[in-house]
Amino acid sequence: MAATVTTDGPKPVLDKPLMRYGRRTLERLAPGAETPQYRILGISPLTPHIGAEISGVDLSRPIGEELAAELRQALLEWKVVFFRGQAGLQPCHHLDLAAVWGPPEANPFFPEAGTAGVSRLAKDAMAIGNENIWHSDHSFMAAPALGSVLRSVEVPSAGGDTMWADMGAAYDNLSEKMKARIENLAAVHDWVPSWGSTMTGEQIADFRTSLPPVEHPVVVRHPRNGRRLLYVNEPFTTRIVGLSDTESRELLDELVLQARVPEFQVRFHWEQDSVAIWDNIATQHYAISDYFPRRRVMERIAVAGVPLS
Ligand code: SIN
């Protein structure tokens, strides 16, 4: 491989500075944070820094304050947590679980599952999954969802996994030059190029009144632990404020590649009655659409967010 090797850290490949091999910086905790202790939850990490399976909890039982505090702590530590065998979980329990983090926030583009706040994502031969692009839910809103709680209702016998990428690692592994370049930049997020692609002009104009384009910093601070996170994603981030069209496109094309680095990711294989809860600011996710024409049905509740800084 014709690469110039100048340090023992991540090495640039050819002329693409973000495509590097070698050592990665992978921090599970925010700088200065202490390793949390758990009394109720059993934690089985799926990677050293993102994703853990949790045992010892039946999510259809009432969630007391001690359990709620441990769940919040586990999500902050692992960024996405998984539960299996939650057959008793009904929409009312699903809502109670999401309420551990805050009130539900409806997705304006997903149909409701019959319960307010619960979206149904049903994919089959007629409706193929289109969440197979790295994204953060609702980044096109002024206060993007803090998290999402997804449960599997019907899963294909093989395939249909979901992946998450740690956007703290995505930021940490940028070059110092890139970090300095993006530190004070903001980006526009807009649902029209993705969700709007199948709508009529009239429908777009209708939605536009309540969902205009919004701006967020390119590097946000996590609302709970202050950690720096790269906050641009492929479907919803449309341009970088203050740059020419070409500069903006080139910079975004480079930054969105970070979510694709395997060491920043975790992959989860769904079984019937699995649940995933993710920190939607600290991660992006990608629903693998490899099960066509088989059916996959999920129910999701997004947790209302706060403006990002
Ligand atoms: C989503 O993008 O929220 C859906 C994830 C999934 O269906 O796995």
Side-chain angles (χ1 to χ4, degrees):
M1 193 181 299
T4 311
V5 176
T6 52
T7 72
D8 65 352
K11 299 170 178 65
V13 177
L14 305 177
D15 62 345
K16 296 189 170 63
L18 284 181
M19 296 176 65
R20 290 156 189 267
Y21 61 95
R23 183 169 51 82
R24 312 276 188 202
T25 301
L26 300 169
E27 302 290 351
R28 185 170 87 257
L29 300 169
E34 286 182 14
T35 302
Q37 304 298 318
Y38 298 93
R39 227 178 55 83
I40 304 173
L41 303 180
I43 308 267
S44 304
L46 298 188
T47 82
H49 65 105
I50 178 172
E53 266 193 50
I54 294 192
S55 57
V57 54
D58 175 352
L59 297 172
S60 68
R61 312 266 313 153
I63 300 174
E65 197 31 58
E66 191 184 358
L67 175 56
E70 287 205 2
L71 288 168
R72 285 192 283 266
Q73 181 172 278
L75 189 62
L76 200 58
E77 179 176 7
W78 291 100
K79 302 148 200 114
V80 51
V81 292
F82 307 104
F83 304 80
R84 297 204 182 267
Q86 299 293 329
L89 195 88
Q90 298 300 311
C92 58
H93 309 125
H94 194 174
L95 281 161
D96 287 349
L97 178 59
V100 165
W101 288 271
E105 172 179 84
N107 181 300
F109 306 111
F110 286 141
E112 266 187 359
T115 305
V118 185
S119 301
R120 175 164 280 237
L121 287 70
K123 313 289 176 184
D124 56 24
M126 303 304 289
I128 302 162
N130 56 5
E131 290 81 26
N132 55 341
I133 184 165
W134 285 104
H135 66 284
S136 170
D137 292 332
H138 306 186
S139 81
F140 49 79
M141 292 185 175
L146 280 182
S148 288
V149 183
L150 186 69
R151 83 178 177 106
S152 54
V153 176
E154 189 178 331
V155 290
S157 52
D161 296 358
T162 307
M163 299 174 73
W164 285 263
D166 177 345
M167 299 313 290
Y171 173 80
D172 292 344
N173 287 276
L174 293 171
S175 68
E176 292 310 313
K177 192 170 156 203
M178 179 61 89
K179 287 179 183 164
R181 182 173 179 206
I182 64 177
E183 177 66 16
N184 293 311
L185 292 178
V188 177
H189 294 242
D190 188 356
W191 54 272
V192 170
S194 51
W195 288 108
S197 63
T198 55
M199 291 182 183
T200 64
E202 204 174 323
Q203 286 169 325
I204 290 178
D206 271 1
F207 274 102
R208 258 270 181 265
T209 50
S210 54
L211 285 175
V214 295
E215 288 181 17
H216 302 297
V218 168
V219 180
V220 300
R221 297 295 197 125
H222 190 280
R224 286 202 56 205
N225 62 17
R227 187 168 177 184
R228 278 187 161 80
L229 309 162
L230 181 62
Y231 195 74
V232 292
N233 68 83
E234 226 168 323
F236 304 135
T237 313
T238 52
R239 63 169 298 118
I240 308 268
V241 178
L243 300 190
S244 71
D245 287 353
T246 310
E247 279 178 322
S248 166
R249 188 68 275 144
E250 284 176 2
L251 183 54
L252 278 178
D253 284 351
E254 200 171 339
L255 292 176
V256 296
L257 286 181
Q258 285 294 84
R260 299 189 194 172
V261 176
E263 286 93 341
F264 305 164
Q265 301 168 354
V266 63
R267 178 171 177 151
F268 182 66
H269 177 66
W270 295 91
E271 293 167 353
Q272 200 70 37
D273 305 313
S274 301
V275 173
I277 306 174
W278 64 91
D279 182 324
N280 186 54
I281 310 300
T283 65
Q284 290 187 20
H285 55 285
Y286 183 115
I288 298 176
S289 196
D290 57 357
Y291 49 91
F292 172 83
R294 285 176 293 276
R295 193 170 153 80
R296 178 180 186 269
V297 181
M298 314 293 274
E299 288 185 0
R300 196 189 81 181
I301 300 175
V303 178
V306 293
L308 299 172
S309 55

